[in-house]
Amino acid sequence: MMSPEILLRKHKLRNTGCRKDILKLFQQEKAALAHCDIEKRLSHHYDRVTIYRTLNTFLESGLIHKVLDHSGATKYALCGHECSDIKHRHEHVHFQCKQCHTTECLERLEIPAICLPEGYQAQEVNLLIEGLCPECRKKP
Ligand SMILES: [Zn+2]
Ligand SMILES: [Zn+2]
Ligand SMILES: [Zn+2]
């Protein structure tokens, strides 16, 4: 895995403490993170606005993408290495576990092409599968 410093440089972003810490957090977590999770888990304290701005910068530059699930909060997850500010493509399946409530990216599972009725134009496609994650399935 690329270090946060190298990832930031690759996306032409200046290296700041907050950016580095948030990026590191995303790399450590398998699950998608909401703003409040990020705030709670950061080892240093940053104010809400700084975190909010950092997330927006990351969204724009192809480092993270939004993940929609049933939690009501917007969650974010790390993009694959092929994403950039010009090309942001991640039409992959997201999986939410009903037991532990984590949502993860199933990057390798692409959403199948869907033919819309005439006149409609798709701009974003989201597919969420709900069920039990491997960890929770193991529990009795
Ligand atoms: Zn992306
Ligand atoms: Zn689970
Ligand atoms: Zn994803």
Side-chain angles (χ1 to χ4, degrees):
M1 194 178 279
M2 266 186 251
S3 73
E5 288 88 348
I6 291 174
L7 253 181
L8 284 170
R9 201 183 312 146
K10 205 182 142 218
H11 288 260
K12 299 182 192 75
L13 293 174
R14 206 160 43 86
N15 182 354
T16 68
C18 184
R19 285 176 180 173
K20 212 169 60 185
D21 284 353
I22 293 182
L23 209 50
K24 210 187 291 167
L25 195 67
F26 275 113
Q27 289 182 326
Q28 284 161 357
E29 283 294 321
K30 214 173 65 170
L33 297 167
H35 192 291
C36 62
D37 303 319
I38 296 166
E39 228 177 282
K40 258 183 269 165
R41 276 179 234 185
L42 282 173
S43 41
H44 300 95
H45 179 78
Y46 300 104
D47 62 78
R48 295 185 67 95
V49 182
T50 309
I51 297 173
Y52 185 75
R53 283 204 195 119
T54 304
L55 290 174
N56 269 332
T57 307
F58 285 179
L59 273 177
E60 282 165 17
S61 48
L63 275 167
I64 58 173
H65 59 278
K66 280 188 188 171
V67 177
L68 303 176
D69 67 11
H70 294 310
S71 67
T74 308
K75 290 186 181 175
Y76 307 90
L78 213 54
C79 284
H81 291 316
E82 66 280 2
C83 268
S84 71
D85 54 342
I86 310 155
K87 196 174 140 271
H88 226 340
R89 235 192 84 89
H90 23 70
E91 282 170 7
H92 53 259
V93 173
H94 288 129
F95 188 94
Q96 185 173 31
C97 177
K98 287 189 150 184
Q99 200 95 51
C100 62
H101 304 290
T102 55
T103 306
E104 344 167 11
C105 296
L106 301 180
E107 292 265 11
R108 258 166 283 172
L109 271 188
E110 275 211 37
I111 298 177
I114 292 162
C115 274
L116 287 173
E118 222 187 297
Y120 292 87
Q121 186 200 25
Q123 292 187 326
E124 218 178 295
V125 186
N126 295 292
L127 180 58
L128 180 71
I129 298 178
E130 287 174 278
L132 290 175
C133 74
E135 300 304 313
C136 291
R137 273 192 69 199
K138 271 185 247 155
K139 289 174 202 156

